[in-house]
Amino acid sequence: MKDWKYWVAEQRGTLFAFVTFVVMFTIYVSNHPAGFTANVVQTAANKGVLLAFVAMAQALVVITAGIDLSVGMIFILTNCLASWIVVGTPLETALGIVGVLLAGLACGAVNGLIVIYGRLQPIVTTIATGAIFFGIALLLRPFPGGGVNEDLADFLTGKIWGVVPVSLLVLVAVVLLVWVPFSRSVMGRAAYATGSSEAAAYMSGMPIRRAKFLTYTLAGLLAGIGGLFLTFFTYTGEAALASGNAYTLFSIAAVVLGGVSLYGGTGSAIGAVFGALAFRAIGDLLFVFDLDPLWQPLFQGVVLLIAVSLGAFALLRVRNKLDWFT
Amino acid sequence: MSEISSSGRQRSNRQALWRRIDPAVATAFGCIVLLLLVGSIYSPNFLHLDYLLLQLKVASFLGVIATGAMLVILLGQIDLSSPWTITTGAMMACAAAAYGPVGVALAIPFGILCGVAIGIVNGIGVAYLRIPAMIVTLATNAVAQGLMVVYTGGFSPQDEATEAMRYIATGFLIPGVPNAVLVWAVVGAGAVFLLTRTTFGRAVYGIGNSERAAYLSGIDTRHILVIAFAIAGGLAAFGGVLLAGYSSKAAQSMGDVYLLPAIAAVVLGGTSILGGRGSYLGTVAGAILITLLQSILSVMQIPEAGRQVIYGVVIVIMLLLYGRAPASR
């Protein structure tokens, strides 16, 4: 095989997600009453970027064959925290942003510590820590409110040179600064190896514990960036349980659409980003086709159910029935 | 001679008894006693019979839901669709009540049937499509939520619970013992019978330990998975029916607060989250323990936020005490 064929085989999930996104977004834009304008792209980007950050967070953990059901709650917690501290002079705002990101890191690190060094199951652990994070968010913001540095918020949710949404540039920057170095490092390799076969990775002397710990911690950071952006969009902090649950659910949907295997070991966070953007575009199709917004939860649920069912086609390639049972 | 052998038998019996007591179940019961003692220092009412019966009644709603969750967890799977299965059961039972006397009579079975339907979808996804249980149940949860939002228009429905629903949740068939507790006792007895005295129960434990081995020993494992998920869905919906009877109507996202408690009750009761190991007695202890913890936190007037934090911390700590996986070697 030629080099590019290997590359295509490796990136199949990501490419599929990219194509899905392009198709869905084309349908969305071509039916949008305003058409393909900078404002439509800006609105779509701002909504998509929020989910993209949370989906990247989920993808990192899923690659190691884990799951983080608390990403939505970290997202909400950092939103509530940001509505307190990302205000005031530029220096105060900068310190506030650092504080919010550190809080996200800390939440992720707590998950990582309990799952890896406490040796508990990620599902139960992250449901429980999710309750803790939500409780803290509720302590910070018993009622919706607070504020944010509005100049910065307007800049980051606006357009640069009149066309390019700044939020998309930030997303690209985060991918380049967090995901690319991570996936090319020894830790990134170890994370993939752990997801493929933890026993084999252990036998090969991979630093599996540190790699898993790093993925949970980075997941916290990425969810924190998402929470920060939520504050920039809404100008407030709100401890909304339903919103946290929805983002956790959508992050899993985005990861699946993005071609990251839930059994671990394959896919990339870039795929998850396109998965998130595609999922948002699919969800918004209802609006451009002028359907009742009441149908949106059902529509998103059905899309999610179909997306996860597509994975069943892999069964057709299984020759030995015993390989069904992993 | 006979004396020696009989005392020897006694000793071995005692050892067998000790071995049969699961340390996790014992810890859970120990924690219940501890919570009651702590509570009674705070307020003597905690040891009153009325209070204890009230707690048992509240625990029975959780207990019914946790029974279904336990069945699925024993298989090594998980059911995250319970929040909206509970809500669907409650809403559909109340909705059926609006359709004349036939509807009133069929309200409870109809609610349960809707839960069974959701469970069957879960089971088919897990058993035949081989999608990870966590994902397919999250997806069906979203679909159930979507259906209910479309049905109700996003508001709490106006339909009221039927007399029968209120009776099984709040009435007294035996004076002094709430009916909900009786319902839990019946469900629990059924679960114990199913798990320990039938081939189905053996198959559940077998699949939980190794589905591959169970399949090779001639068990139709996919069939068992679908049935187990269907029962879990039915029990979650039944829990919703009871809750609707208790508060006399259904409400949006009334089931959301039961996801973590139901799984926590099962896991704190010593059932392995990896499947194949656990006893129903542990789940009973877990459900009572969680209910008492909630009750004490609310009596101490800790706000919702603090309760969530304490709750999560307690579950993590208890899991760290005895829910740890073996170290990789």
Side-chain angles (χ1 to χ4, degrees):
Chain A
M1 272 204 293
K2 300 266 171 50
D3 278 356
W4 66 270
K5 281 189 179 166
Y6 280 116
W7 186 82
V8 167
E10 194 188 330
Q11 306 291 337
R12 197 171 44 203
T14 306
L15 293 174
F16 176 75
F18 178 70
V19 172
T20 315
F21 163 66
V22 170
V23 170
M24 289 302 160
F25 193 69
T26 311
I27 299 176
Y28 172 70
V29 167
S30 57
N31 286 289
H32 198 286
F36 187 70
T37 64
N39 281 333
V40 172
V41 174
Q42 181 196 352
T43 313
N46 284 351
K47 279 175 79 175
V49 162
L50 285 183
L51 183 57
F53 282 124
V54 183
M56 271 174 82
Q58 188 69 266
L60 279 172
V61 178
V62 168
I63 282 172
T64 64
I67 189 104
D68 188 346
L69 296 180
S70 71
V71 278
M73 296 310 172
I74 300 177
F75 177 73
I76 295 295
L77 168 59
T78 46
N79 167 234
C80 292
L81 183 64
S83 71
W84 279 109
I85 62 175
V86 184
V87 286
T89 63
L91 181 66
E92 286 168 351
T93 306
L95 286 176
I97 291 176
V98 171
V100 170
L101 297 183
L102 284 179
L105 270 176
C107 291
V110 167
N111 280 335
L113 279 178
I114 300 173
V115 170
I116 292 133
Y117 297 99
R119 299 202 301 269
L120 294 186
Q121 281 293 305
I123 302 178
V124 186
T125 307
T126 52
I127 292 180
T129 55
I132 299 175
F133 299 150
F134 178 70
I136 299 173
L138 211 53
L139 281 179
L140 286 170
R141 282 270 165 240
F143 306 102
V148 70
N149 186 328
E150 297 195 5
D151 293 336
L152 181 68
D154 290 342
F155 170 69
L156 285 174
T157 56
K159 297 189 290 281
I160 198 165
W161 309 306
V163 275
V164 184
V166 181
S167 53
L168 270 190
L169 293 181
V170 175
L171 179 64
V172 172
V174 170
V175 169
L176 291 178
L177 289 175
V178 178
W179 167 250
V180 173
F182 169 76
S183 64
R184 286 162 182 262
S185 67
V186 174
M187 287 300 164
R189 294 276 150 193
Y192 274 100
T194 310
S196 293
S197 167
E198 184 157 349
Y202 183 81
M203 293 295 181
S204 325
M206 290 274 198
I208 52 174
R209 285 179 157 197
R210 269 178 295 153
K212 277 165 92 178
F213 180 70
L214 189 61
T215 58
Y216 278 96
T217 311
L218 284 179
L221 173 69
L222 289 169
I225 298 175
L228 195 57
F229 258 82
L230 179 64
T231 327
F232 290 146
F233 293 135
T234 60
Y235 295 138
T236 56
E238 182 182 2
L241 181 66
S243 167
N245 282 334
Y247 268 92
T248 304
L249 177 68
F250 293 167
S251 75
I252 295 172
V255 161
V256 173
L257 275 177
V260 183
S261 165
L262 292 163
Y263 294 108
T266 57
S268 80
I270 298 173
V273 167
F274 285 119
L277 298 178
F279 187 78
R280 274 290 186 232
I282 295 170
D284 287 345
L285 282 182
L286 282 179
F287 293 119
V288 296
F289 287 118
D290 228 8
L291 289 168
D292 195 332
L294 268 184
W295 289 81
Q296 199 185 20
L298 179 61
F299 186 67
Q300 283 178 331
V302 171
V303 168
L304 177 58
L305 195 58
I306 292 173
V308 298
S309 303
L310 288 180
F313 281 110
L315 287 181
L316 298 175
R317 287 202 299 270
V318 173
R319 298 227 180 88
N320 184 344
K321 270 190 185 179
L322 284 181
D323 287 341
W324 286 341
F325 316 121
T326 43
Chain B
M1 191 71 189
S2 65
E3 254 175 52
I4 294 167
S5 73
S6 85
S7 75
R9 198 179 303 136
Q10 251 175 12
R11 200 182 310 134
S12 72
N13 275 349
R14 209 177 302 144
Q15 279 172 345
L17 192 68
W18 267 121
R19 231 177 290 128
R20 276 182 58 186
I21 295 176
D22 189 340
V25 179
T27 316
F29 275 110
C31 287
I32 292 175
V33 174
L34 195 70
L35 271 183
L36 283 175
L37 287 178
V38 171
S40 67
I41 293 169
Y42 191 80
S43 150
N45 285 338
F46 269 90
L47 296 177
H48 270 209
L49 191 62
D50 287 347
Y51 172 82
L52 293 177
L53 272 175
L54 179 70
Q55 292 313 306
L56 207 55
K57 178 173 156 186
V58 175
S60 57
F61 304 123
L62 178 59
V64 169
I65 297 164
T67 308
M70 181 194 179
L71 196 56
V72 171
I73 290 176
L74 276 179
L75 287 165
Q77 311 286 351
I78 196 149
D79 186 357
L80 299 182
S81 70
S82 55
W84 281 89
T85 312
I86 293 169
T87 314
T88 305
M91 283 184 174
M92 288 296 105
C94 292
Y99 289 94
V102 181
V104 170
L106 292 179
I108 298 174
F110 181 67
I112 295 173
L113 210 63
C114 291
V116 171
I118 296 175
I120 289 176
V121 175
N122 286 335
I124 290 174
V126 172
Y128 289 91
L129 302 182
R130 290 285 144 190
I131 310 165
M134 184 174 50
I135 310 306
V136 72
T137 53
L138 269 178
T140 49
N141 188 46
V143 171
Q145 176 180 11
L147 284 172
M148 288 304 110
V149 167
V150 170
Y151 170 72
T152 59
F155 303 104
S156 281
Q158 292 304 307
D159 310 320
E160 297 230 328
T162 63
E163 279 302 316
M165 284 161 69
R166 271 180 235 179
Y167 180 70
I168 58 167
T170 59
F172 291 91
L173 183 66
I174 304 168
V177 182
N179 278 351
V181 177
L182 292 182
V183 169
W184 186 22
V186 171
V187 168
V192 170
F193 176 77
L194 201 63
L195 286 175
T196 58
R197 290 278 176 271
T198 62
T199 47
F200 175 81
R202 287 285 104 198
V204 166
Y205 280 97
I207 293 172
N209 277 305
S210 163
E211 185 169 2
R212 209 176 271 214
Y215 179 80
L216 286 176
S217 16
I219 298 169
D220 187 352
T221 58
R222 296 187 287 182
H223 207 72
I224 303 279
L225 279 171
V226 174
I227 295 174
F229 271 98
I231 296 176
L235 283 174
F238 186 45
V241 170
L242 288 174
L243 285 169
Y246 183 61
S247 54
S248 80
K249 64 201 290 186
Q252 290 286 336
S253 52
M254 59 191 280
D256 282 6
V257 291
Y258 279 91
L259 176 64
L260 178 59
I263 296 174
V266 176
V267 175
L268 292 184
T271 300
S272 163
I273 190 82
L274 300 170
R277 206 156 40 79
S279 69
Y280 191 74
L281 191 62
T283 303
V284 173
I288 296 174
L289 175 58
I290 296 236
T291 309
L292 273 182
L293 181 65
Q294 281 174 334
S295 162
I296 287 176
L297 290 179
S298 66
V299 167
M300 288 178 170
Q301 295 181 333
I302 292 171
E304 169 67 16
R307 262 187 277 168
Q308 289 272 347
V309 174
I310 294 175
Y311 200 44
V313 169
V314 167
I315 288 170
V316 168
I317 290 175
M318 293 206 54
L319 283 175
L320 283 174
L321 285 180
Y322 56 76
R324 303 179 70 187
S328 50
R329 244 177 261 124

